[in-house]
Amino acid sequence: RVSGSSTDSSAQIAEAFRLVCTRSPRPSELAALTELYTTQKANPPQFAPPPPKATKSDAKPDAKGKKSTATPLPTLPKMPADPALAALTLVCSTILASDAAVTSR
């Protein structure tokens, strides 16, 4: 919802904060969330490599003596397709987990 509200990341973050916390973010809160966004966008998370695929020689026999075949897991991307969206998602998650989202003062 907030990713389509504006093209400016600070405005997106402020909108997310307003939607969740029902108030505008304080300058210090907005600065901290904007810094988190900038850091995460510049250094997107790297996903763990997928486990090695099982081959027929690796398959172990089951209880009936037949060899079981393991289904290979899909390959995960090394980084998010859109680092800006991934960073905004992390910021929104941080807002939802914050004290401001639970407590009204």
Side-chain angles (χ1 to χ4, degrees), residues 76-101:
L76 298 174
K78 292 276 184 207
M79 65 180 355
D82 183 2
L85 182 59
L88 185 60
T89 301
L90 182 71
V91 168
C92 289
S93 175
T94 302
I95 293 169
L96 287 168
S98 71
D99 183 53

Side-chain angles (χ1 to χ4, degrees), residues 22-43:
T22 66
R23 67 173 175 85
S24 294
R26 294 182 181 105
S28 61
E29 293 167 327
L30 185 58
L33 292 169
T34 303
E35 181 181 346
L36 175 64
Y37 174 85
T38 304
T39 303
Q40 289 301 310
K41 186 177 175 188
N43 303 310

Side-chain angles (χ1 to χ4, degrees), residues 2 48 56 80 102:
V2 297
K56 288 190 178 196
V102 180

